[in-house]
Amino acid sequence: MALQTDLLHTSGPSSAPSDDSIGDALPRCLCRFDDGAVFAYAERGHDFIRASDRELWAVERDDALVSVRSGLELAYRRGRVYFAQESGEPLYYERAV
């Protein structure tokens, strides 16, 4: 069974959405492909926070996840799936909460 995390209530109160669609106001989650557990999320924009420690982990640029520490590309995106840069193996899939 995949570990589920209630991301709408983990980081405190958030501001109300302005002119954005409701889909833009909800966090984007990256779930691990192997077990479906939430690995990282982005509340708004393209900055992904690691769910385990709530640290900034990666930034999405040009359909790629880029590590904030090293600047290396971690994975590339095709649709809602992120694949390993070197092996092409599926790593994460994106879902909206």
Side-chain angles (χ1 to χ4, degrees):
M1 176 184 286
L3 172 69
Q4 296 296 318
T5 305
D6 184 2
L7 296 175
L8 292 177
H9 297 99
T10 57
S11 56
S14 61
S15 59
S18 57
D19 294 337
D20 298 336
S21 70
I22 190 68
D24 292 340
L26 296 175
R28 295 165 54 202
C29 295
L30 293 184
C31 299
R32 289 190 301 242
F33 213 84
D34 57 351
D35 64 4
V38 173
F39 179 76
Y41 61 94
E43 290 181 332
R44 290 181 182 258
H46 303 282
D47 295 341
F48 281 93
I49 298 166
R50 195 173 32 234
S52 62
D53 59 8
R54 297 188 187 154
E55 293 290 326
L56 183 59
W57 167 65
V59 176
E60 185 180 38
R61 291 190 196 133
D62 300 322
D63 290 329
L65 287 174
V66 178
S67 169
V68 295
R69 288 188 178 198
S70 68
L72 296 175
E73 286 191 10
L74 302 170
Y76 63 92
R77 176 183 177 152
R78 294 292 178 256
R80 292 189 170 268
V81 178
Y82 291 83
F83 298 89
Q85 192 65 28
E86 293 180 9
S87 68
E89 173 184 343
L91 297 176
Y92 310 105
Y93 62 91
E94 182 180 336
R95 71 170 173 88
V97 175

